[in-house]
Amino acid sequence: MSLSKMPTLADVGKVAGVSRGTVSNVFNHPELVRSDVRERVETAARQLGYDGPDPRGRVLRDGKFNAIGLMPPGAYAIADMMRSPYLRELVLGVSLACDKAGVTLSLVNGMDESRTSTIREALVDGFILGHSADIDLVGSARRRRLPFVILESAGQDINSIRIDGRSGALMAVRHLIDLGHRHFAILSVRRTAGPPIVHMPGGRQQAITAGFALDYERLEGFANGLAEAQLSIDDVPIIETTPGDPTAGAVVFDRAPDATAILTMSDWQAISVLDEAVRRGISVPEHVSVVGFDGTAASARTTPPLTTVAHDIVGKGRLAAEMVLANAAPKQVVMPVELVVRDSTAQPRG
């Protein structure tokens, strides 16, 4: 059959000898169609070169895009997302839920002032806002009347999933204190682009620029753990670095050479420290102990394997997508954390 236009459902139905609705069911709900009819329709479609219903028609008909938008946190560009061990697992979890529901995952740019316009214009049915504390994003999503979930934030009237960062940080410090450490350095997270910011002891009054609630919770957990050992976080060098900054390890070794234990806020930062230790001939954990945060799969493959504060990142991504798809009454989920002790921590020498 020769057609001067793209074949349609009706064209396929005419060749197969069935109704347009039956053809539609073959492509959208094949379980509703007898196998012999389904085979006849599929044969007719192949003959006509028909690949399935135009998704634009479904969008116009249903008013849905069949897609979820995931906006990465803070200073992450989409091009950098797959470099992050944490974000790789988060995306995997979201993807698993999307695949199960038959919807598309759309990665949405979250780098600059265009974030709010992106929320307004993205062709999606809901959003997962990664770590975002930006109230403008929440307002934009609400104005579109779309379901959304915020990660690592709190709020009684919104969907949110976060971890207990305070208790996780406290576990990390207690572990190192129990090993005998008394000289620490902290790698915090800078959420805006730029070089590392170094906060040294001695009258330090400048504000930590972390920006996300989770970052401050972890700093509070570190401070509480140190206070239990009659130590003060004010006496600890704190270096803020952007996610994935390859200089993180170098800066902490240069500015805190006396530290016997380094606390980080991500496995990615901790991996930078381990890499820099190799370059400098510093043995981990013989010369310095290192603790990560996140519990990514990558943390088990480092040399030495990384002690880290872990939570179920893939599960968090999956749950976030399920909450968006359910579009139910808002709920707040706090995920547990655990300290996974591996070979990157040991008693200090001497």
Side-chain angles (χ1 to χ4, degrees):
M1 180 177 180
S2 176
L3 296 172
S4 59
K5 60 182 179 63
M6 295 294 291
T8 64
L9 285 171
D11 295 325
V12 176
K14 184 176 180 179
V15 172
V18 298
S19 69
R20 180 187 182 281
T22 297
V23 178
S24 177
N25 280 336
V26 168
F27 284 96
N28 297 304
H29 304 287
E31 70 281 1
L32 301 178
V33 184
R34 293 200 325 264
S35 59
D36 60 320
V37 176
R38 189 165 64 241
E39 183 177 346
R40 194 162 74 243
V41 170
E42 291 170 347
T43 299
R46 286 194 296 270
Q47 290 174 354
L48 295 173
Y50 180 74
D51 293 326
D54 188 337
R56 292 173 297 183
R58 176 182 48 75
V59 169
L60 291 172
R61 183 178 66 252
D62 301 337
K64 296 186 69 176
F65 299 100
N66 215 33
I68 290 177
L70 171 61
M71 180 175 285
Y76 282 106
I78 289 176
D80 295 331
M81 284 183 65
M82 292 303 100
R83 296 175 51 235
S84 163
Y86 169 83
L87 285 177
R88 284 199 300 269
E89 296 187 25
L90 182 69
V91 170
L92 173 60
V94 176
S95 298
L96 290 172
C98 287
D99 289 346
K100 183 178 180 180
V103 303
T104 300
L105 168 60
S106 177
L107 300 181
V108 181
N109 181 36
M111 273 293 288
D112 50 34
E113 63 277 0
S114 68
R115 298 191 307 274
T116 53
S117 62
T118 299
I119 292 286
R120 290 195 303 268
E121 299 167 5
L123 304 181
V124 298
D125 304 313
F127 291 96
I128 299 170
L129 305 178
H131 287 273
S132 178
D134 190 334
I135 194 64
D136 291 334
L137 297 183
V138 175
S140 294
R142 279 179 163 158
R143 283 189 290 274
R144 282 195 63 180
R145 300 183 183 278
L146 293 178
F148 64 92
V149 174
I150 294 184
L151 303 183
E152 307 312 341
S153 186
Q156 294 303 309
D157 60 343
I158 60 174
N159 277 318
S160 65
I161 305 173
R162 63 188 183 89
I163 65 170
D164 189 349
R166 188 178 291 102
S167 67
L170 182 60
M171 290 178 197
V173 177
R174 284 174 172 170
H175 168 64
L176 293 168
I177 292 291
D178 288 345
L179 288 172
H181 291 278
R182 294 297 182 272
H183 302 285
F184 295 85
I186 294 172
L187 274 177
S188 181
V189 181
R190 179 173 182 174
R191 298 296 181 178
T192 56
I197 301 174
V198 180
H199 304 266
M200 295 300 292
R204 180 175 63 220
Q205 298 298 324
Q206 67 268 42
I208 302 293
T209 61
F212 290 173
L214 174 62
D215 305 329
Y216 293 112
E217 288 176 4
R218 288 183 290 201
L219 285 172
E220 184 177 342
F222 291 152
N224 292 344
L226 292 167
E228 289 179 352
Q230 287 73 54
L231 301 172
S232 172
I233 196 171
D234 291 333
D235 297 325
V236 175
I238 300 176
I239 297 100
E240 296 180 78
T241 66
T242 55
D245 185 341
T247 70
V251 174
V252 74
F253 283 127
D254 286 343
R255 301 305 300 269
D258 296 330
T260 64
I262 299 172
L263 294 156
T264 73
M265 288 194 182
S266 74
D267 288 348
W268 204 0
Q269 287 180 321
I271 290 169
S272 172
V273 173
L274 296 180
D275 290 344
E276 185 63 23
V278 171
R279 283 189 285 270
R280 297 187 180 211
I282 298 173
S283 179
V284 176
E286 286 77 11
H287 297 136
V288 64
S289 289
V290 181
V291 178
F293 210 109
D294 287 331
T296 59
S299 68
R301 299 193 297 265
T302 58
T303 304
L306 183 65
T307 293
T308 184
V309 178
H311 71 285
D312 183 4
I313 305 167
V314 174
K316 179 163 65 176
R318 183 189 292 111
L319 177 60
E322 290 170 350
M323 289 169 68
V324 171
L325 292 168
N327 194 14
K331 66 178 180 179
Q332 297 74 47
V333 177
V334 180
M335 299 187 71
V337 295
E338 64 173 330
L339 182 70
V340 178
V341 178
R342 300 195 182 104
D343 295 340
S344 69
T345 52
Q347 295 178 346
R349 296 179 72 179

